[in-house]
Amino acid sequence: MENLVVHNGVLKSKEELELHYQPVKDSFWTQIKKHHVFYIMLFPCLLFFLIFSYWPMGGLVLAFKEYGFQTGIFGGDWVGLQYFQQFFSDPRSTIYINNTIIVSFLKLFIAMPFPIILALMFNEVQNNKLRGTFQSISYLPYFISWVVVVGLMNRLLAPDTGLINQMIAAFGGDGSTFFMMEEGLFYPLVFISYIWKGIGWDSIIYYAAIVAIAPALYEAAAIDGAGKLRQIWHVTLPGIAATIIILFILSLGDILSSGFDQIYLMQNPGNADVSETIDTYIVRTGLQGGQFGYATAIGLMQGVAGLILTIIVNRITSKKFGSSLW
Amino acid sequence: MSNSMAGSKWMRVLNITLIVSLSLMIILPFMHVLAISLNSGIDAQRGGITFWPREWSIENYIEVFKQENLMNGLFISVFRTVVGTVVGVGLMAMAAYALTIKTLPGRKFITFFVFFTMLFSGGTVPYYLVLNELNLTNTIWVYIVPTLYSVIHILLLRTSFSQLPFSVIEAARIDGCSEFKIFRSIVLPMSKPVLATISLFTAVGHWNDWYAGTFFVRDPMLKPLATLLQEMLTRQAALSDILLRSSGSLAYEQLDKVTVTGESLQMATIIVVMIPMVLVYPFIQKYFVKGITVGSIKE
């Protein structure tokens, strides 16, 4: 509905603009001259993306070249597919790919229902002020850096002095577990902290979709004798199904990236085997290890796979749901 | 909006209980950290502090403000946040406004040129090497220049600008106002909510960013607060590991002695990192909900 208003507004403005600029009579160059001030406004923007996005894209040739400090990005010798072979012949690569997919599976699939449920719960709070307060609290962690979040976790989960261990000790337990160092707890902790940080913020968009559902639908369902849960099942969920599906499909493009900050900051010697993902491996070999060509090659594979996934997914959304990214 | 049936009472109670629990799970960790940071460091070593300080003390904060590198980091963080946000939002708004002009030749191409960078990028290493070739690494400008524009923020601004009443802009144009004047004295003042939202996002991004400071900068005097906090965490993990290796088993008592006073300092640093956020948040949060739900990438 909102789109339609926007659309109308745009259409109207276009007509008026065309009246003013009389585009039909002007030649291409006259048009450009008339708009020169807008090109001035856009110039720094274009320069920025040329330098900081397209130049590095050109730098992807490093995946097939030897990097030398004298020769720079483009000057080295060609090495063919050497780096790709190196990556796939290393048995640890499979582990890194697995770890990455586990983390993104947790975030995309298992975590998905939580913000939806929270939005449904917010919708049931009748007092506007109370709901607003709870919502504000729930958004807060989204604005906190992962550095702080992992710092909080280290403290809460520390052996002996940490809050959780003290509670365990108070109930007669051991109380000396080093939770952050436990390999088996890495994924659960990644999952819980991910939900903790994002659930409130992610619920905003679902909440907006729920509020947009026509009250008449609920009234009709109520007249038909539907209780609260049945109303949620038969009215609310179908009402936000499109939002859920589109957001979910769009997030599939990220399946090969695990979220660098959280994973990198939660890594420690105790969980090294399960916590190395493609993102952190690229930083470790490239930025920290100086194997520029090798890390670029891995980044290239990740980037291309992500691009292909996004394109496929966009095809599906535009065909099935009439909504697409571009 | 109100769709409340006479939903059974216990469900409402359960619902509120769950929401309150979630709110507590969010607030209590911060309370815990605040309590430790306001407690004397040596007393905190005994453990047992929950959500209220046992021995009140501001020594940890005094210590934070005495640490030269932390104060320097605070300055770097404030500098990059203020300069990066003001310049960045100004430039993004200008570009977004130009992209709302329907008759602009090449508008579609420019939009795609910008948008495509969201779908594909050169990746971590080529990006770093470009920063290197521009001599941006190891300077304060590496925090500001490469973060001036964000695709998603440009698109949000563009959507918002294209919904402004066109007649006002057109009237100014007919009166002979220059496009820059229209932008500055009509478009910007009429777009305060979206500008506040984008400014908040940009400022938070700057304030929270530790990555650039860790990987693009070597000079310790150029590291922002977030990076210094990250280095504290890393040192602590390394220390635990050394103790683990040297003693064969985790020597917790030893570990505690070495780290706990550092721990209190770390907690105070966490609070100092969070304070600006907590102060600004209530004033700006009424805007951002609208800001993010309104923006769609397509027009």
Side-chain angles (χ1 to χ4, degrees), chain A:
Chain A
M1 280 167 287
E2 215 149 23
N3 278 339
L4 208 70
V5 177
V6 176
H7 195 55
N8 280 342
V10 165
L11 268 181
K12 187 180 150 220
S13 50
K14 188 178 179 180
E15 279 163 17
E16 290 179 31
L17 243 187
E18 280 175 351
L19 238 147
H20 180 59
Y21 283 105
Q22 301 168 320
V24 193
K25 287 174 197 164
D26 290 339
S27 77
F28 182 67
W29 287 113
T30 325
Q31 279 258 18
I32 287 190
K33 253 188 218 160
K34 278 195 169 165
H35 288 89
H36 74 274
V37 66
F38 298 113
Y39 292 112
I40 295 172
M41 289 179 174
L42 278 167
F43 177 72
C45 175
L46 296 179
L47 192 67
F48 175 90
F49 286 105
L50 198 64
I51 292 175
F52 294 110
S53 298
Y54 287 93
W55 187 0
M57 274 184 224
L60 281 168
V61 293
L62 257 187
F64 311 97
K65 272 175 178 273
E66 185 132 29
Y67 179 83
F69 283 97
Q70 266 85 52
T71 50
I73 300 178
F74 300 102
D77 294 330
W78 294 96
V79 296
L81 297 175
Q82 182 198 315
Y83 300 127
F84 297 89
Q85 282 162 354
Q86 187 187 340
F87 181 70
F88 285 111
S89 61
D90 186 342
R92 281 171 307 170
S93 304
T94 326
I95 299 173
Y96 303 150
I97 294 173
N98 272 343
N99 293 346
T100 310
I101 290 177
I102 291 171
V103 171
S104 45
F105 180 82
L106 285 174
K107 289 183 179 179
L108 299 187
F109 291 82
I110 314 291
M112 193 193 62
F114 288 82
I116 301 172
I117 293 169
L118 184 66
L120 291 171
M121 285 165 61
F122 279 146
N123 190 45
E124 297 305 319
V125 179
Q126 301 302 326
N127 184 325
N128 283 338
K129 230 178 182 167
L130 201 62
R131 185 182 55 234
T133 311
F134 286 138
Q135 284 179 315
S136 300
I137 294 173
S138 74
Y139 305 153
L140 188 64
Y142 176 80
F143 294 96
I144 304 290
S145 156
W146 270 113
V147 177
V148 169
V149 176
V150 176
L152 290 179
M153 290 169 76
N154 278 341
R155 185 84 290 274
L156 292 172
L157 299 169
D160 294 326
T161 54
L163 199 58
I164 303 292
N165 268 312
Q166 297 212 326
M167 270 162 63
I168 293 173
F171 287 105
D174 175 23
S176 66
T177 323
F178 206 153
F179 292 110
M180 293 296 277
M181 285 273 210
E182 294 278 328
E183 193 178 278
L185 286 177
F186 180 73
Y187 294 133
L189 288 175
V190 164
F191 181 72
I192 292 167
S193 55
Y194 177 76
I195 299 264
W196 183 86
K197 194 169 186 299
I199 185 171
W201 186 256
D202 293 341
S203 75
I204 292 181
I205 199 138
Y206 296 114
Y207 181 75
I210 290 173
V211 170
I213 295 172
L217 291 175
Y218 291 104
E219 282 155 28
I223 289 165
D224 288 346
K228 192 86 243 174
L229 283 178
R230 292 188 63 120
Q231 285 184 27
I232 290 175
W233 187 254
H234 291 291
V235 179
T236 318
L237 283 180
I240 61 171
T243 309
I244 295 174
I245 292 168
I246 288 167
L247 286 182
F248 174 69
I249 293 181
L250 288 182
S251 66
L252 286 178
D254 289 332
I255 200 138
L256 280 181
S257 74
S258 52
F260 176 81
D261 284 26
Q262 179 191 17
I263 303 299
Y264 182 85
L265 294 168
M266 283 178 69
Q267 282 178 338
N268 59 45
N271 59 35
D273 287 338
V274 294
S275 63
E276 190 83 307
T277 61
I278 298 174
D279 302 88
T280 61
Y281 185 57
I282 288 172
V283 167
R284 224 173 280 281
T285 51
L287 296 190
Q288 293 173 328
Q291 302 180 53
F292 292 134
Y294 179 55
T296 304
I298 304 168
L300 176 62
M301 288 188 277
Q302 191 188 25
V304 168
L307 180 64
I308 292 171
L309 269 171
T310 312
I311 290 172
I312 293 174
V313 153
N314 192 59
R315 280 262 162 81
I316 298 171
T317 41
S318 55
K319 260 196 197 142
K320 293 232 154 116
F321 308 103
S323 147
S324 72
L325 268 173
W326 61 84

Side-chain angles (χ1 to χ4, degrees), chain B residues 6 18 172-173 175 196 259 283:
Chain B
L18 286 174
R173 224 169 249 152
D175 285 351
T259 55
F283 298 100

Side-chain angles (χ1 to χ4, degrees), chain A residues 136 139, chain B residues 193 197 281-291:
Chain A
S136 300
Y139 305 153
Chain B
T197 309
Y281 183 74
F283 298 100
I284 270 180
Q285 70 116 353
K286 61 180 174 196
Y287 293 124
F288 64 60
V289 176
K290 196 164 176 266

Side-chain angles (χ1 to χ4, degrees), chain B residues 248-270:
Chain B
S249 68
L250 277 176
Y252 292 120
E253 280 185 21
Q254 215 179 336
L255 176 69
D256 283 352
K257 283 211 183 82
V258 190
T259 55
V260 159
T261 23
E263 190 81 48
S264 296
L265 184 68
Q266 198 179 311
M267 295 305 115
T269 314
I270 286 182

